[in-house]
Amino acid sequence: MDVREFYIDDLVYEHEAVEASGVPGQVIRQWASRGRIHRFEGDGRYSGHGHEYKTMYALPEIMERARRYKPRPRQVAA
């Protein structure tokens, strides 16, 4: 998706994206680090647990990728 297509309401924090899409936060961060989705600077609100929300993601991009996302079972070391 083109960045110019996003509205301000489309930008969400990681925990909101996880709730909306069901994709784990680690996967969302991995997509962003690999350039598959865009990452935006957050407004620095506090979460209430002593941490700031620093990164926002575009929910339409996440929802588009979430349709094709299939969780892989974790391998347990023997």
Side-chain angles (χ1 to χ4, degrees), residues 27-70:
V27 174
I28 293 171
R29 289 190 306 272
Q30 193 173 61
W31 288 343
S33 70
R34 293 180 178 173
R36 294 184 178 142
I37 62 173
H38 291 90
R39 182 184 335 201
F40 301 93
E41 189 174 323
D43 60 4
R45 287 188 302 151
Y46 284 97
S47 66
H49 300 289
H51 300 285
E52 291 181 68
Y53 295 128
K54 296 183 179 183
T55 307
M56 298 183 89
Y57 304 97
L59 189 58
E61 280 186 323
I62 293 171
M63 296 305 283
E64 184 179 313
R65 292 196 67 83
R67 286 185 279 149
R68 297 185 306 265
Y69 173 71
K70 294 179 186 172

